[in-house]
């Protein structure tokens, strides 16, 4: 089990959840772009 990485799986799950939230809340046709700071 040395190759098992909980953090990597957790971050992948967070990315999936956030992608779903973004897809539900963005008007269709609007691209999701990162904020420039």
């Amino acid at each position: 089990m040395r190759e098992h990485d909980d953090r990597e799986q957790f971050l992948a799950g967070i990315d999936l959840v956030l992608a779903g939230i973004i897809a539900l809340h963005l008007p269709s046709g609007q691209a999701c772009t990162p904020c420039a700071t």
Side-chain angles (χ1 to χ4, degrees), residues 3-28:
E3 295 87 27
H4 183 76
D5 186 1
D6 287 334
R7 185 175 187 275
E8 182 180 331
Q9 290 184 344
F10 174 77
L11 293 175
I14 294 295
D15 285 342
L16 184 61
V17 169
L18 291 176
I21 291 171
I22 290 169
L24 287 174
H25 291 285
L26 282 180
S28 59

